[in-house]
Amino acid sequence: MTGNIFQGRQIEIVEFDDLSVDQWAFEFTDPAISAFGSHFAVVVPDDGPWDDAVVRINPDVNEVSVDLLLWAIAKAREIAQL
């Protein structure tokens, strides 16, 4: 995936519509974080504004940098607009 580079790292982004809870999710996995699976997600309610979006962090992840979160939020908004 081109364009998903953050500070020289290829960030994996998986987007999906979770029909069971009416929300759209963008899951992010950073190779610099050793925890298994996705590391955090930007979640937006279906038909909801971005003001209702939240970030969910995998409990196995000790911390996520603010710069990475800001980049991920902007990337999720960019993808959602396509």
Side-chain angles (χ1 to χ4, degrees), residues 3-79:
N4 295 339
I5 305 296
F6 174 77
Q7 295 183 350
R9 301 187 304 271
Q10 180 73 38
I11 306 297
E12 181 183 350
I13 304 172
V14 176
E15 60 177 301
F16 62 93
D17 190 0
D18 188 343
L19 298 174
S20 65
V21 289
D22 293 328
Q23 63 187 15
W24 194 260
F26 301 88
E27 291 187 341
F28 294 82
T29 304
D30 181 353
I33 300 173
S34 62
F36 179 74
S38 67
H39 299 129
F40 60 92
V42 176
V43 181
V44 184
D46 282 349
D47 299 323
W50 273 94
D51 292 347
D52 294 336
V54 297
V55 174
R56 296 191 179 141
I57 299 176
N58 179 334
D60 294 330
V61 173
N62 290 331
E63 59 188 23
V64 177
S65 76
V66 170
D67 284 345
L68 177 55
L69 287 177
L70 292 173
W71 176 89
I73 291 165
K75 183 57 84 169
R77 288 184 89 154
E78 175 187 315
I79 294 168

